[in-house]
Amino acid sequence: MSVVSQVILKADDELRYPSSGELKNITEFLQTGEQRIRVAATLAENEKKIVQEASKQLWQKRPDFISPGGNAYGDRQRSLCLRDYGWYLRLITYGVLSGDKEPIEKIGIIGVREMYNSLGVPVGGMAESIRCLKNASLGLLSEEDAAAASPYFDYIVQALS
């Protein structure tokens, strides 16, 4: 949920107008709008490139994942991994656009560890894959934009660690 939505809902719950501090938070949020849109657009426009680079990095670090018996062994399993990488990248753009980690948590983090454990997917490997997504993504962004996007990747890594 965006800062604007949070302020409005909180003020409405308390039957009051937004405070000057809350209005200042909204002002700061709106001032970063162009940057958030730019970051999300860059990630979305480069999804295939980012996923390819991230998977290349992961397979180099963890060749056991694509070796016989590995969770990403075979075309079908590998394509499912790449699908998940794209899904996580999309979640990150939601967080960046909203300026909040709540969409990531609500849409993608709640229950993810249990799901991967039930499927026999190594959760540590998923955390490593998000680190690779982060590296591939941040390389396409300016230093300032990378600093703005980085916490959303870190949030998912922490949730999977």
Side-chain angles (χ1 to χ4, degrees):
M1 182 180 323
S2 74
V3 170
V4 177
S5 299
Q6 290 172 4
V7 166
I8 291 169
L9 290 174
K10 183 177 180 190
D12 187 54
D13 283 347
E14 297 172 4
L15 302 172
R16 63 175 176 79
Y17 292 99
S19 70
S20 60
E22 289 169 328
L23 293 174
K24 183 180 178 204
N25 287 341
I26 290 174
T27 301
E28 291 169 2
F29 174 76
L30 295 174
Q31 289 173 344
T32 61
E34 258 184 61
Q35 179 189 39
R36 288 181 283 105
I37 290 170
R38 182 175 58 244
V39 169
T42 300
L43 297 179
E45 291 165 4
N46 291 286
E47 176 191 9
K48 286 186 187 340
K49 180 179 179 179
I50 292 167
V51 168
Q52 286 175 343
E53 177 59 29
S55 63
K56 179 180 163 187
Q57 289 176 23
L58 184 65
W59 308 150
Q60 287 175 347
K61 290 179 180 183
R62 296 296 305 267
D64 56 304
F65 287 171
I66 56 173
S67 298
N71 282 70
Y73 178 69
D75 291 337
R76 183 179 185 291
Q77 293 304 104
R78 197 169 299 161
S79 69
L80 291 174
C81 289
L82 298 179
R83 178 204 62 197
D84 283 359
Y85 297 169
W87 182 73
Y88 281 111
L89 190 62
R90 192 172 69 246
L91 278 177
I92 288 162
T93 65
Y94 298 164
V96 168
L97 284 171
S98 69
D100 191 5
K101 294 174 182 116
E102 187 177 2
I104 295 171
E105 183 175 336
K106 283 189 172 183
I107 297 169
I109 297 300
I110 296 173
V112 77
R113 291 178 61 85
E114 293 80 10
M115 177 191 69
Y116 284 133
N117 284 329
S118 72
L119 294 172
V121 174
V123 177
M126 288 307 300
E128 184 62 33
S129 71
I130 302 301
R131 285 186 200 98
C132 293
L133 272 177
K134 177 182 176 181
N135 291 337
S137 298
L138 299 187
L140 299 174
L141 301 171
S142 70
E143 189 174 321
E144 181 182 342
D145 289 353
S150 186
Y152 300 97
F153 289 95
D154 295 340
Y155 182 74
I156 294 174
V157 169
Q158 181 183 14
L160 293 172
S161 297

